[in-house]
Amino acid sequence: MRKSHPVRRAVLAGAATVSGIVLLLSLKPASDPGSASAAGGAVPPAAAQSPQGGRGAGAGTVTGDAASTQYGPVQVRLTVSDGRITKAEAVQAPKGGQSDRVTADAVPKLNRAAVAAGSADIDAVSGATYTSAGYVKSLQSALDKAAAAAGSGSRAGAGAGAAEEGAGAGQGTQVLTGDAAQTQYGPVQVRVTVSGGKITEVETLQAPKGGRSDQVTADAVPKLDRAAVAAGSADIDAVSGATYTSAGYKQSLQSALDRAGG
């Protein structure tokens, strides 16, 4: 048998290789369905989500500071869309023993109230005074963060806190919410409107209630509100028969004024 010439074998091998490559190229699809996304042609769903605090598209989530209570911390997370609260949830709440039952009953009610009110101006749940006070405090801090993240000083919801909180007295109008002051009969919390460095309005967000406290609160709070506006400070007299409520009122009022720079 005659052996093949070396040059002839090299030519045939090269031709076979070229044919194979051409065949493979003719079988490859014109485009890979997944290549556009991988190359940045489409934004993955996760990248389309709004960042925390509702920046940019005016929607997102913001978590308030954890508020300590006698039975454990309470911390609230909000979902805000177009400046409105669309969802509220407690990421921390008192637990263990009796607290489990109280939390299971109170937190859903507080969540619904926050969404409905669009602010921290919500009533305490009966039988869950401490949890309610902590919830309101954390909720307010979340709303303050949402307002700050918006970058325009507007509220994240109706009555969502300070328009220029902490900017100092005499600089425009400020709406300032004081800390909830605990008293023997329940928390007292005050919100103050300051304009031109003067108190123009005071409202009580929380006050003792239930039983005789309803009567005491109904009598004392309007007097305390008027006294605060008239005095322009927390240096006001206690209302007769409402010593504890008056003391809590003055404490919360002072904390609000401190945020305004005095």
Short mmCIF file of all heavy atoms in Angstrom, two decimals, residues 162-176 192-199 255-262:
data_model
loop_
_atom_site.label_atom_id
_atom_site.label_comp_id
_atom_site.label_asym_id
_atom_site.label_seq_id
_atom_site.Cartn_x
_atom_site.Cartn_y
_atom_site.Cartn_z
N ALA A 162 -41.71 67.19 62.55
CA ALA A 162 -41.21 68.53 62.38
C ALA A 162 -40.93 68.87 60.94
O ALA A 162 -40.31 68.12 60.22
CB ALA A 162 -39.93 68.71 63.19
N ALA A 163 -41.38 70.07 60.51
CA ALA A 163 -41.05 70.55 59.18
C ALA A 163 -39.59 71.00 59.14
O ALA A 163 -38.91 70.85 58.14
CB ALA A 163 -41.97 71.70 58.79
N GLU A 164 -39.13 71.58 60.25
CA GLU A 164 -37.74 72.00 60.34
C GLU A 164 -37.22 71.62 61.70
O GLU A 164 -36.59 72.43 62.39
CB GLU A 164 -37.62 73.51 60.12
CG GLU A 164 -38.09 74.00 58.76
CD GLU A 164 -38.01 75.52 58.66
OE1 GLU A 164 -37.27 76.12 59.46
OE2 GLU A 164 -38.67 76.08 57.81
N GLU A 165 -37.47 70.40 62.14
CA GLU A 165 -37.15 70.01 63.51
C GLU A 165 -35.68 70.17 63.80
O GLU A 165 -34.82 69.76 63.04
CB GLU A 165 -37.57 68.56 63.75
CG GLU A 165 -37.39 68.14 65.17
CD GLU A 165 -38.26 66.95 65.51
OE1 GLU A 165 -39.14 66.61 64.72
OE2 GLU A 165 -38.04 66.37 66.58
N GLY A 166 -35.40 70.79 64.93
CA GLY A 166 -34.03 70.96 65.36
C GLY A 166 -33.30 72.10 64.67
O GLY A 166 -32.12 72.28 64.85
N ALA A 167 -34.01 72.90 63.86
CA ALA A 167 -33.34 73.96 63.12
C ALA A 167 -33.13 75.20 63.98
O ALA A 167 -32.45 76.13 63.57
CB ALA A 167 -34.16 74.33 61.88
N GLY A 168 -33.71 75.23 65.17
CA GLY A 168 -33.53 76.39 66.03
C GLY A 168 -34.76 77.27 66.01
O GLY A 168 -35.48 77.36 65.03
N ALA A 169 -35.03 77.95 67.14
CA ALA A 169 -36.20 78.79 67.24
C ALA A 169 -36.07 79.99 66.32
O ALA A 169 -34.99 80.49 66.05
CB ALA A 169 -36.37 79.25 68.69
N GLY A 170 -37.20 80.50 65.87
CA GLY A 170 -37.21 81.72 65.08
C GLY A 170 -36.91 81.51 63.62
O GLY A 170 -36.76 82.48 62.89
N GLN A 171 -36.79 80.28 63.15
CA GLN A 171 -36.50 80.02 61.75
C GLN A 171 -37.68 79.31 61.10
O GLN A 171 -37.71 78.11 60.95
CB GLN A 171 -35.23 79.17 61.62
CG GLN A 171 -34.00 79.85 62.20
CD GLN A 171 -32.76 79.01 62.03
OE1 GLN A 171 -32.80 77.97 61.38
NE2 GLN A 171 -31.66 79.43 62.60
N GLY A 172 -38.70 80.10 60.71
CA GLY A 172 -39.87 79.52 60.07
C GLY A 172 -40.78 78.86 61.07
O GLY A 172 -40.74 79.12 62.27
N THR A 173 -41.63 77.97 60.56
CA THR A 173 -42.59 77.26 61.41
C THR A 173 -42.10 75.84 61.65
O THR A 173 -41.68 75.16 60.72
CB THR A 173 -43.97 77.21 60.74
OG1 THR A 173 -44.44 78.56 60.57
CG2 THR A 173 -44.96 76.44 61.59
N GLN A 174 -42.17 75.43 62.90
CA GLN A 174 -41.74 74.09 63.28
C GLN A 174 -42.88 73.36 63.98
O GLN A 174 -43.63 73.97 64.75
CB GLN A 174 -40.54 74.15 64.23
CG GLN A 174 -39.31 74.83 63.64
CD GLN A 174 -38.26 75.03 64.71
OE1 GLN A 174 -38.38 75.93 65.54
NE2 GLN A 174 -37.25 74.19 64.71
N VAL A 175 -43.01 72.08 63.69
CA VAL A 175 -43.96 71.23 64.41
C VAL A 175 -43.12 70.19 65.13
O VAL A 175 -42.46 69.37 64.50
CB VAL A 175 -44.96 70.57 63.45
CG1 VAL A 175 -45.96 69.72 64.25
CG2 VAL A 175 -45.70 71.61 62.64
N LEU A 176 -43.12 70.23 66.45
CA LEU A 176 -42.21 69.43 67.24
C LEU A 176 -42.97 68.53 68.20
O LEU A 176 -43.84 69.00 68.94
CB LEU A 176 -41.27 70.34 68.03
CG LEU A 176 -40.50 71.32 67.13
CD1 LEU A 176 -40.48 72.70 67.73
CD2 LEU A 176 -39.09 70.82 66.89
N VAL A 192 -46.04 70.52 69.64
CA VAL A 192 -46.04 71.98 69.69
C VAL A 192 -45.77 72.55 68.29
O VAL A 192 -44.92 72.04 67.56
CB VAL A 192 -44.93 72.48 70.65
CG1 VAL A 192 -44.94 74.00 70.72
CG2 VAL A 192 -45.11 71.88 72.02
N THR A 193 -46.51 73.59 67.94
CA THR A 193 -46.22 74.34 66.72
C THR A 193 -45.56 75.65 67.14
O THR A 193 -46.11 76.40 67.96
CB THR A 193 -47.50 74.65 65.93
OG1 THR A 193 -48.13 73.42 65.57
CG2 THR A 193 -47.18 75.43 64.66
N VAL A 194 -44.37 75.90 66.61
CA VAL A 194 -43.61 77.10 66.93
C VAL A 194 -43.43 77.91 65.65
O VAL A 194 -42.99 77.38 64.63
CB VAL A 194 -42.23 76.74 67.53
CG1 VAL A 194 -41.42 78.01 67.81
CG2 VAL A 194 -42.39 75.92 68.79
N SER A 195 -43.77 79.18 65.71
CA SER A 195 -43.63 80.06 64.55
C SER A 195 -43.02 81.38 65.01
O SER A 195 -43.51 81.99 65.96
CB SER A 195 -45.00 80.31 63.90
OG SER A 195 -44.86 81.14 62.75
N GLY A 196 -41.97 81.78 64.35
CA GLY A 196 -41.30 83.01 64.73
C GLY A 196 -40.74 82.97 66.13
O GLY A 196 -40.65 83.99 66.81
N GLY A 197 -40.40 81.76 66.60
CA GLY A 197 -39.83 81.63 67.92
C GLY A 197 -40.86 81.62 69.03
O GLY A 197 -40.50 81.62 70.21
N LYS A 198 -42.15 81.58 68.70
CA LYS A 198 -43.21 81.57 69.70
C LYS A 198 -44.10 80.34 69.52
O LYS A 198 -44.31 79.88 68.40
CB LYS A 198 -44.07 82.83 69.58
CG LYS A 198 -43.32 84.12 69.89
CD LYS A 198 -44.26 85.31 69.82
CE LYS A 198 -43.53 86.60 70.18
NZ LYS A 198 -44.44 87.77 70.14
N ILE A 199 -44.63 79.87 70.64
CA ILE A 199 -45.58 78.76 70.59
C ILE A 199 -46.92 79.29 70.09
O ILE A 199 -47.50 80.20 70.69
CB ILE A 199 -45.76 78.12 71.98
CG1 ILE A 199 -44.45 77.54 72.48
CG2 ILE A 199 -46.83 77.04 71.93
CD1 ILE A 199 -44.53 77.00 73.91
N SER A 255 -39.37 68.77 76.40
CA SER A 255 -38.55 68.01 75.45
C SER A 255 -38.80 68.46 74.02
O SER A 255 -37.89 68.50 73.19
CB SER A 255 -38.81 66.51 75.58
OG SER A 255 -40.08 66.15 75.08
N ALA A 256 -40.05 68.85 73.73
CA ALA A 256 -40.37 69.37 72.39
C ALA A 256 -39.68 70.72 72.17
O ALA A 256 -39.09 70.97 71.11
CB ALA A 256 -41.88 69.51 72.23
N LEU A 257 -39.73 71.58 73.18
CA LEU A 257 -39.10 72.89 73.05
C LEU A 257 -37.58 72.78 72.97
O LEU A 257 -36.93 73.58 72.29
CB LEU A 257 -39.51 73.77 74.24
CG LEU A 257 -41.00 74.15 74.30
CD1 LEU A 257 -41.32 74.91 75.57
CD2 LEU A 257 -41.37 74.99 73.07
N ASP A 258 -37.02 71.80 73.65
CA ASP A 258 -35.58 71.58 73.57
C ASP A 258 -35.15 71.29 72.12
O ASP A 258 -34.07 71.69 71.68
CB ASP A 258 -35.15 70.43 74.47
CG ASP A 258 -35.21 70.79 75.95
OD1 ASP A 258 -35.28 71.99 76.27
OD2 ASP A 258 -35.23 69.86 76.78
N ARG A 259 -36.00 70.58 71.42
CA ARG A 259 -35.68 70.26 70.01
C ARG A 259 -35.75 71.50 69.13
O ARG A 259 -35.15 71.54 68.06
CB ARG A 259 -36.66 69.20 69.50
CG ARG A 259 -36.42 67.84 70.15
CD ARG A 259 -37.47 66.83 69.75
NE ARG A 259 -37.20 65.57 70.42
CZ ARG A 259 -38.05 64.56 70.49
NH1 ARG A 259 -39.24 64.65 69.93
NH2 ARG A 259 -37.71 63.44 71.12
N ALA A 260 -36.49 72.49 69.58
CA ALA A 260 -36.58 73.73 68.82
C ALA A 260 -35.48 74.70 69.22
O ALA A 260 -35.44 75.82 68.75
CB ALA A 260 -37.94 74.38 69.06
N GLY A 261 -34.62 74.27 70.12
CA GLY A 261 -33.55 75.13 70.56
C GLY A 261 -33.96 76.00 71.73
O GLY A 261 -33.44 77.10 71.93
N GLY A 262 -34.97 75.54 72.52
CA GLY A 262 -35.39 76.30 73.70
C GLY A 262 -36.74 76.92 73.54
O GLY A 262 -37.16 77.64 74.41
#
